[in-house]
Amino acid sequence: MDLRAYLAERLPAVEHALEAALPKPGACPEPLASAMRHLIFPGGKRLRPAFALAAAEAVGAPWERALPVAVAVELVHTYSLIHDDLPCMDDDDERRGRPTVHVAWGEACAVLAGDALQALAFEVLLAAPGAPAPAVRDAARELARAAGAGGLVGGQVDDLHFDRACADTGVIESVHGRKTAALFAFASSNGARLAGADAGRVEQLRDFGQRIGIAFQLADDALDADSDDACSYVRAVGAAATQARADALLADALRALDGFGESAEPLRALAGGAVRRST
Ligand code: GRG
């Protein structure tokens, strides 16, 4: 299938929904509003939103029903990038070829913009139009878990303290599983949940998203093989073994979709594209 055309048809709705979610002029102090927008527009690949929309379609529902999950996950992802770039973490001056948020708007404003984006993610999710209240509640709880101490934040702490002498691939995958894959698992399973999927399908999609998220991070490690990251699969086992493990995880993830029919083709294509990407 033509993944590029698929995304070109759907991602403008994500841009529109992100724009609608961000504070309107006058709704908050101007530097905060600008700092919140800085990394949202222009954005990155919008991969996590795409997984949410394709997961809704995989369970036979209109992709529009997953938009609140798509927006919420991109807001959390963006907050995590802003905080990751801070001087107290990776201390990066540039992201996507532009000054990082703390360089453009100051460190305090960058911290607060990240905080506000994370809060906004929950506001968007909890206001999901037309979704049954139990599905919204479960999705909000899962976003909290994916973003919190057992997910993104805990994975980041382990990454910051990672012993570069450690070449245990299981330990590395556990960090990647929390720091990176938790948001992919959230997007895939809850995009479908908000679209009305039953519990069995939600679990299959969580398993799928978790494996794809780790594979995506391994592919990222392989693309950035010269990086100085301590927690890197490539550093532990080399680029070829890293790519082989990413391919095996992709195959496992696709098997987790057994029983899904034609409607999951976009999700399968997206998975392949995320793991075999070249940039
Ligand atoms: C600070 C709580 C906190 C977490 C930081 C996101 C993160 C955890 C660190 C960023 C650095 C990094 C290598 C993270 C792994 C996940 C990853 C590959 C992020 C980049 O995702 P893409 O490629 O980004 O989807 P774009 O730019 O396309 O949005």
Side-chain angles (χ1 to χ4, degrees), residues 44-45 48 77 79-80 84 96 156 179-180 216-217:
K45 297 179 285 297
R48 297 154 190 80
H77 168 61
Y79 123 71
S80 79
D84 188 62
R96 302 182 191 136
Q156 175 78 350
K179 187 178 110 166
T180 306
F216 169 77
Q217 182 62 64

Side-chain angles (χ1 to χ4, degrees), residues 43-48 74 77 79-81 83-84 89-90 95-96 147 152-153 156 179-180 184 216-217 220 229 277:
K45 297 179 285 297
R46 307 290 196 219
L47 266 181
R48 297 154 190 80
E74 190 67 6
H77 168 61
Y79 123 71
S80 79
L81 297 180
H83 282 196
D84 188 62
M89 296 215 196
D90 268 10
R95 180 171 289 276
R96 302 182 191 136
L152 183 61
V153 170
Q156 175 78 350
K179 187 178 110 166
T180 306
F184 281 86
F216 169 77
Q217 182 62 64
D220 205 69
D229 283 354
R277 74 194 205 281

